[in-house]
Amino acid sequence: MVKKKIVVVGGGFGGVSAVDALSANPEFEIHLVDRRNFHLFQPLLYQIAMAGLSPSDIAIPLRTLFRKKRNVHITLAEVDQLDIANNKIHYDKNWVEFDYLVLCCGAKHAYFGNEKWEEFAPGLKNLEQAIEIRRRILMAFELAEKETDPIIRSKELTFVVVGGGPTGVELAGAIAEMAKHTLANDYHNADLAKIKVMLVEAGPCILAAFPQSLSLTAQKNLKELGVEVIINTRASDLSKDGLQIGDQYVPAKTIIWAAGVLPSSLTMQIPGEKDRLGRALVLPDLSLPEFKNVFVIGDQAACKSKSGEFLPGIAPVAMQQGAFLKDVIVSDMLGRARPTFEYVDKGIMATIGRSKAVVSTKGFNFSGLPAWLAWVFIHLIYLMKFKNRLFVFLQWAWSYFTFGRGARLITHKTWRFYDGEKIKLE
Amino acid sequence: MVKKKIVVVGGGFGGVSAVDALSANPEFEIHLVDRRNFHLFQPLLYQIAMAGLSPSDIAIPLRTLFRKKRNVHITLAEVDQLDIANNKIHYDKNWVEFDYLVLCCGAKHAYFGNEKWEEFAPGLKNLEQAIEIRRRILMAFELAEKETDPIIRSKELTFVVVGGGPTGVELAGAIAEMAKHTLANDYHNADLAKIKVMLVEAGPCILAAFPQSLSLTAQKNLKELGVEVIINTRASDLSKDGLQIGDQYVPAKTIIWAAGVLPSSLTMQIPGEKDRLGRALVLPDLSLPEFKNVFVIGDQAACKSKSGEFLPGIAPVAMQQGAFLKDVIVSDMLGRARPTFEYVDKGIMATIGRSKAVVSTKGFNFSGLPAWLAWVFIHLIYLMKFKNRLFVFLQWAWSYFTFGRGARLITHKTWRFYDGEKIKLE
């Protein structure tokens, strides 16, 4: 039996679900190529930045995930070139051939031509960024605790999150809470109560993907947490000391970028049409119009729903797409017509700090504690699939009830970072 | 009532136990100054390097530790100058006065004039180093898995630990086990069985601080794990490709330095005599001969035992010294004569991978599983003092019984590191 060689690029939600589904078929020889050695549960990445969880709680080595799958081969490498016309991709200085190619390299943060802003306002897409954001937030408190000049101190206690999507909302809410409950006990300096958290959204509302009622609820919840929500306003002129928000200049030591993403750079090498976000347009079977054996899924793909809009770049879409590919390739092998991908929309959710969230599912909208519990439950279910992930929940539940922040460690840079120096730790 | 201002420099075992004891007395105003914001449980640091535990499992924020102590003030800062004659120390660009000073800045790795070796053979003293060692070990496996040239592959699968003290023994044993049990399942490349782990000790035996019988037992246990133990031999000429061990050259990608420590650089600014390790000689009350209000404890201090030898640089010594200081300062306030520090030697222990260890206590020596259980128990007791540390044990027990390595993440550098390049992660 000649095995079909399927190369999957990217171990995110799309890639893992594709490999998981495809590996069930012994006629497939699957090669999963990723630049990192782990699958990251991105929806909880903000918990790392908030010191609520540790990296190993939400990242699982790809080899561990597919340990039992004999027909899955994992390579830690970065794909740098595509030669789709000739069924080849390039990594580790070699050209590798494939029968089928699945591209699911995800997205990165977009600074829309202001890439230098990244230094002042890191995004939240990978573990290193999450740890850097954690470091900056905790460092801001340490510096404020020592600072005698009230003007500098208020700058150190001002946190601005740019972008009112789910990540921005989660971050802003979590920072406000972290300040109120957790850190207030740890710092004797009363002014810490004077912490300022701002959420800046260029559009007319936060959580634009949600029904207006939920978007307003989220905004109300954030206000209750002490977050200043600013809509219809663009952030500009970011520097290490602050940023311009509309026509007001805000001095701020800590700025976090949660505004807009772009598909992985590799997408530019995909032949064919792109949508305005730069995602590759795919057919209803998720293949490229010109290349039936090349599929693009997840944040990299511009895939239309039945009703004709593009599907959003969220985990459920990528996971369903990944699982769907098995049916397509099996149909090919059986000489049948390919099925059409239909996204089953189970809804969307976003959490706003402890015990508050918004959920919109099948026209049914709810918020508050029930929504938060639904949010916890769904994330827990996913994590439970990873051996040993139970501890995540225990740890997490514990820090929820104790207001603890077990992972509140300042690592990987020295406290002098803001002076521009970097001391070598002994 | 005029409070006594006591400045404690360093939040290690000595500092934490000193602050803990002193803070019970409301007449003391305690200032704990540390460059890091957390207390690190160093004896388990090798578990981070081995991906068995996560940083937050063994590091606890100092502010959390002393949250309830109103007379404890914590400052995240690096002390850069001492002016002991004038009762002042310098940090954050300010001179700070003290009534009493406690120096417990610990030790750093010593490369004995070959500091450039650190790049090729990191030590294991802080979290960043542990994560870097973890990264190098896991990366070596990933590269070996991809490597086609058997000579390069064997270089990538050769791990050399320099220094046969407890840390070196723990690391060598753990690497050998990690390779055998954990990683063998994850890599299809059979040659991974050909992994080579070497432990190089310049002296006549490993674990020199232990009775000879235990030292030999440890050596036997290591051999059973597949570790090549080389004694009476010096490592030299370290490079990124290997090192000279006696008169044989060993090509090795991963070298770890566990040979010898030096007291923190600040020790050089302490007036008075030093021992041959560069530690400050202290009186039986742990104060400096010339300055009764300045104490040096832990790895920074050369403190004689009753029998006249210098006490070793281990946690129990530092902890007992820290607690002892309270009695000294209280005696001063009561105008009484100062007590003399007497170290209560509860023994020493070292673990050699899973279920094997050596313990020497009050002339009673034992090894194997009982010793390992004693080792686990004692470390657990200590960790349990930290709120939420129970999870450490659960997680740890879990990964013990499942041979899991939950924290097996390659982070904070890209996989191309060994090519000398550094790609920015998206």
Side-chain angles (χ1 to χ4, degrees):
Chain A
M1 165 183 93
V2 182
K3 287 191 165 196
K4 288 283 174 206
K5 183 174 178 186
I6 305 170
V7 176
V8 178
V9 184
F13 286 106
V16 163
S17 100
V19 173
D20 202 38
L22 293 164
S23 61
N25 189 328
E27 293 175 66
F28 300 150
E29 178 190 314
I30 302 139
H31 294 260
L32 173 58
V33 185
D34 196 319
R35 181 171 50 182
R36 309 308 300 269
N37 77 322
F38 51 83
H39 168 65
L40 183 64
F41 189 60
Q42 284 218 7
L44 289 182
L45 199 50
Y46 83 100
Q47 283 276 353
I48 306 287
M50 292 301 119
L53 291 174
S54 296
S56 63
D57 295 330
I58 65 163
I60 178 158
L62 291 167
R63 294 191 186 280
T64 308
L65 263 183
F66 298 112
R67 171 177 282 172
K68 300 228 156 47
K69 306 296 180 72
R70 283 284 144 216
N71 58 336
V72 175
H73 308 278
I74 293 164
T75 306
L76 182 69
E78 179 168 51
V79 172
D80 43 25
Q81 290 179 69
L82 303 177
D83 181 359
I84 285 175
N86 297 306
N87 299 321
K88 287 186 302 190
I89 64 171
H90 188 267
Y91 58 84
D92 282 349
K93 306 184 173 76
N94 290 315
W95 283 102
V96 176
E97 299 207 327
F98 57 79
D99 296 315
Y100 288 96
L101 176 65
V102 181
L103 293 171
C104 35
C105 308
K108 57 179 175 176
H109 273 289
Y111 290 82
F112 310 114
N114 299 293
E115 273 54 36
K116 65 175 187 334
W117 288 355
E118 182 163 20
E119 176 190 350
F120 315 122
L124 186 65
K125 275 282 168 192
N126 63 45
L127 283 179
E128 287 76 9
Q129 290 166 336
I131 288 169
E132 170 63 10
I133 288 171
R134 180 179 78 187
R135 199 187 60 73
R136 289 188 187 200
I137 292 173
L138 297 173
M139 188 59 66
F141 283 99
E142 291 295 338
L143 293 172
E145 173 83 352
K146 293 194 289 189
E147 187 54 60
T148 48
D149 178 335
I151 294 171
I152 298 178
R153 188 193 289 135
S154 82
K155 179 169 85 176
E156 275 153 357
L157 289 177
T158 303
F159 302 83
V160 181
V161 178
V162 182
T167 303
V169 167
E170 280 160 4
L171 277 169
I175 294 172
E177 262 178 347
M178 189 178 177
K180 254 212 210 69
H181 303 290
T182 316
L183 295 168
N185 306 325
D186 284 11
Y187 296 81
H188 299 162
N189 188 331
D191 280 15
L192 284 178
K194 296 217 184 93
I195 177 178
K196 192 170 176 187
V197 183
M198 303 168 93
L199 178 63
V200 187
E201 167 59 41
C205 65
I206 61 171
L207 298 181
F210 290 71
Q212 196 193 17
S213 62
L214 291 182
S215 156
L216 293 173
T217 310
Q219 195 164 335
K220 194 171 121 292
N221 292 340
L222 284 172
K223 287 203 176 110
E224 288 159 3
L225 288 172
V227 178
E228 188 179 337
V229 180
I230 302 169
I231 55 174
N232 293 313
T233 309
R234 290 201 169 280
S236 59
D237 302 334
L238 276 69
S239 78
K240 75 181 202 358
D241 294 308
L243 74 171
Q244 189 72 28
I245 297 177
D247 44 24
Q248 92 181 108
Y249 177 78
V250 178
K253 266 282 187 212
T254 311
I255 310 173
I256 304 174
W257 191 262
V261 294
L262 270 180
S264 156
S265 337
L266 206 60
T267 321
M268 289 183 281
Q269 295 186 40
I270 299 175
E273 231 185 307
K274 310 278 187 300
D275 73 351
R276 81 187 158 70
L277 299 173
R279 302 180 300 179
L281 287 167
V282 293
L283 300 175
D285 63 10
L286 306 182
S287 68
L288 290 174
E290 309 277 301
F291 306 95
K292 296 200 71 54
N293 64 330
V294 177
F295 305 95
V296 186
I297 62 175
D299 293 358
Q300 249 185 319
C303 171
K304 282 215 169 74
S305 69
K306 271 178 298 181
S307 46
E309 312 96 31
F310 285 121
L311 294 171
I314 56 177
V317 171
M319 290 166 76
Q320 289 181 35
Q321 290 175 325
F324 167 79
L325 293 181
K326 183 191 177 190
D327 307 336
V328 177
I329 298 175
V330 168
S331 316
D332 285 4
M333 296 174 78
L334 301 173
R336 296 210 190 111
R338 288 183 168 187
T340 307
F341 176 70
E342 286 185 10
Y343 175 55
V344 181
D345 187 348
K346 300 203 179 105
I348 47 178
M349 46 178 34
T351 180
I352 307 135
R354 292 159 48 92
S355 78
K356 287 204 166 43
V358 290
V359 175
S360 172
T361 170
K362 302 183 163 45
F364 177 52
N365 303 331
F366 59 111
S367 57
L369 185 60
W372 187 82
L373 290 172
W375 181 86
V376 169
F377 179 75
I378 284 171
H379 288 73
L380 177 63
I381 291 300
Y382 184 88
L383 285 171
M384 293 288 283
K385 294 199 304 188
F386 303 154
K387 179 159 109 304
N388 187 357
R389 290 304 89 178
L390 175 59
F391 293 119
V392 181
F393 185 67
L394 292 177
Q395 202 126 20
W396 198 25
W398 179 284
S399 74
Y400 175 79
F401 290 113
T402 60
F403 280 101
R405 281 277 179 257
R408 212 160 63 228
L409 313 175
I410 299 176
T411 60
H412 285 97
K413 286 235 177 76
T414 71
W415 66 274
R416 278 197 190 171
F417 177 74
Y418 284 116
D419 294 1
E421 297 174 60
K422 202 172 165 185
I423 309 165
K424 200 169 154 312
L425 298 166
E426 284 187 352
Chain B
M1 159 184 98
V2 182
K3 288 191 164 196
K4 287 286 174 204
K5 182 174 179 184
I6 305 171
V7 176
V8 179
V9 183
F13 286 106
V16 163
S17 99
V19 172
D20 202 39
L22 293 163
S23 61
N25 189 328
E27 293 176 65
F28 300 151
E29 178 191 315
I30 301 139
H31 294 260
L32 174 57
V33 184
D34 195 320
R35 184 171 49 181
R36 309 307 300 268
N37 77 322
F38 51 83
H39 168 66
L40 183 64
F41 189 61
Q42 284 219 7
L44 290 183
L45 199 51
Y46 83 99
Q47 283 276 354
I48 306 288
M50 291 301 119
L53 291 174
S54 297
S56 63
D57 295 330
I58 65 163
I60 179 158
L62 291 167
R63 293 189 187 279
T64 308
L65 216 43
F66 298 111
R67 169 178 282 172
K68 301 231 155 46
K69 304 298 181 71
R70 282 284 144 216
N71 58 337
V72 176
H73 307 279
I74 293 164
T75 305
L76 183 68
E78 178 168 49
V79 173
D80 44 25
Q81 290 179 69
L82 304 176
D83 180 359
I84 284 175
N86 298 304
N87 300 322
K88 288 187 301 191
I89 65 172
H90 188 268
Y91 58 84
D92 281 349
K93 306 183 173 75
N94 291 315
W95 283 101
V96 175
E97 299 206 327
F98 58 78
D99 296 316
Y100 288 97
L101 176 65
V102 180
L103 293 171
C104 35
C105 307
K108 57 178 174 176
H109 274 288
Y111 290 83
F112 311 114
N114 299 293
E115 271 56 35
K116 65 176 187 331
W117 288 354
E118 181 163 21
E119 177 190 350
F120 314 122
L124 187 65
K125 275 282 171 193
N126 63 45
L127 283 179
E128 287 75 10
Q129 290 165 335
I131 288 168
E132 170 64 10
I133 289 171
R134 179 179 78 187
R135 201 187 58 73
R136 290 189 187 200
I137 292 172
L138 296 173
M139 189 58 68
F141 282 100
E142 290 295 339
L143 292 173
E145 173 83 350
K146 293 194 289 189
E147 188 54 60
T148 49
D149 178 337
I151 295 173
I152 298 178
R153 188 193 289 135
S154 82
K155 180 169 84 175
E156 276 153 357
L157 289 178
T158 302
F159 302 83
V160 181
V161 178
V162 181
T167 304
V169 167
E170 279 160 5
L171 277 170
I175 294 172
E177 260 176 349
M178 188 179 178
K180 255 215 210 66
H181 302 291
T182 316
L183 294 169
N185 307 324
D186 284 11
Y187 295 81
H188 299 162
N189 188 332
D191 281 16
L192 283 179
K194 295 216 184 100
I195 178 177
K196 192 169 174 187
V197 183
M198 304 168 92
L199 178 62
V200 187
E201 166 58 41
C205 65
I206 61 171
L207 298 180
F210 290 70
Q212 196 193 15
S213 63
L214 291 182
S215 153
L216 294 172
T217 309
Q219 194 162 336
K220 195 171 120 292
N221 292 340
L222 284 172
K223 285 201 177 113
E224 289 158 2
L225 288 173
V227 177
E228 187 179 338
V229 180
I230 302 169
I231 54 171
N232 293 314
T233 310
R234 289 203 168 281
S236 60
D237 304 332
L238 276 68
S239 79
K240 75 183 205 354
D241 294 310
L243 75 170
Q244 190 71 29
I245 298 176
D247 44 24
Q248 95 183 104
Y249 177 77
V250 178
K253 267 279 188 214
T254 311
I255 311 173
I256 304 172
W257 190 262
V261 294
L262 270 179
S264 154
S265 336
L266 205 61
T267 320
M268 290 183 279
Q269 295 187 40
I270 300 175
E273 229 184 311
K274 309 279 186 299
D275 74 351
R276 75 182 166 74
L277 299 173
R279 303 181 299 179
L281 287 167
V282 293
L283 299 175
D285 63 10
L286 305 182
S287 70
L288 290 174
E290 309 276 300
F291 306 95
K292 295 201 72 54
N293 65 330
V294 177
F295 304 96
V296 186
I297 64 175
D299 293 359
Q300 251 186 318
C303 172
K304 283 215 170 70
S305 70
K306 269 179 299 181
S307 46
E309 314 95 32
F310 286 121
L311 293 171
I314 56 177
V317 171
M319 290 166 75
Q320 289 182 36
Q321 289 175 326
F324 167 80
L325 293 182
K326 183 190 177 188
D327 307 338
V328 177
I329 298 176
V330 167
S331 316
D332 285 3
M333 296 175 79
L334 300 173
R336 297 209 189 110
R338 289 183 167 188
T340 305
F341 176 70
E342 286 186 9
Y343 175 55
V344 182
D345 188 350
K346 299 203 179 105
I348 49 178
M349 47 178 34
T351 180
I352 307 135
R354 291 158 50 92
S355 78
K356 285 202 168 47
V358 290
V359 175
S360 171
T361 170
K362 303 184 163 41
F364 177 54
N365 303 331
F366 59 110
S367 58
L369 185 61
W372 186 82
L373 290 172
W375 180 86
V376 168
F377 179 74
I378 284 171
H379 288 73
L380 176 63
I381 292 299
Y382 184 89
L383 285 170
M384 293 287 284
K385 293 199 305 189
F386 302 154
K387 180 158 97 333
N388 187 356
R389 291 305 89 178
L390 175 59
F391 294 118
V392 181
F393 184 67
L394 292 178
Q395 201 126 26
W396 199 23
W398 179 283
S399 74
Y400 175 79
F401 289 112
T402 61
F403 280 100
R405 282 275 180 257
R408 210 159 65 225
L409 312 175
I410 299 177
T411 60
H412 286 96
K413 286 234 176 79
T414 71
W415 67 274
R416 279 197 189 170
F417 178 74
Y418 284 116
D419 294 0
E421 297 174 60
K422 200 171 167 186
I423 309 164
K424 199 166 152 315
L425 296 167
E426 284 186 353

